[in-house]
Amino acid sequence: MNLEDRLANLPRMRLAILPTPVHILDRLTADLTGPQLWIKRDDLTGLAGGGNKTRKLEFLVGDAVRRQADTLLTVGAIQSNHTRQTAAAAARAGLRCVLLHNAWTTEPARTTAPPATSCSAT
């Protein structure tokens, strides 16, 4: 059984808008006088700023829903994109979310208010 067939048999909750576009970087290619450069726009997956974690979360959330879980729990650093994505995925699935943020990095002193977020989770 190939990978595509194996993935098709796993529980999954569609969270991403796929496929994300691929753009040529003409000016950077010209500036570097090198090979043609392209960028995959995973920031456009449609889930809390996007990113490659959305693809993994489709399977984790699908499994949680199949198991009738009511809460997603994850751990990450204070600036973690993964925890932000998990909170957005939980909100979309109607699940509670617990984020355990560790101070693995030094948080810079704030001179302004923290940015507002566009997703919420309980």
Side-chain angles (χ1 to χ4, degrees):
M1 182 181 289
N2 66 29
L3 179 60
E4 189 174 317
D5 292 336
R6 291 175 67 191
L7 290 174
N9 290 323
L10 295 174
R12 185 175 193 177
M13 179 177 200
R14 296 290 180 172
L15 300 168
I17 300 167
L18 298 174
T20 56
V22 179
H23 296 286
I24 188 168
L25 302 176
D26 288 322
R27 290 185 302 185
L28 184 57
T29 296
D31 285 349
L32 297 176
T33 62
Q36 195 174 56
L37 299 175
W38 295 74
I39 187 168
K40 176 86 166 128
R41 294 294 308 274
D42 272 1
D43 58 316
L44 300 176
T45 60
L47 185 66
N52 64 343
K53 305 295 187 270
T54 304
R55 288 179 176 82
K56 176 181 83 166
L57 282 164
E58 287 191 337
F59 294 99
L60 295 175
V61 173
D63 186 55
V65 169
R66 182 184 61 82
R67 295 173 184 257
Q68 299 181 331
D70 62 4
T71 305
L72 293 181
L73 180 139
T74 194
V75 62
I78 293 167
Q79 81 289 353
S80 172
N81 290 334
H82 169 70
T83 60
R84 178 176 39 86
Q85 291 266 309
T86 300
R92 176 128 358 129
L95 301 171
R96 291 183 306 206
C97 185
V98 176
L99 305 176
L100 303 173
H101 284 131
N102 289 306
W104 293 324
T105 61
T106 304
E107 187 172 4
R110 290 216 171 126
T111 56
T112 60
T117 59
S118 61
C119 65
S120 64
T122 55

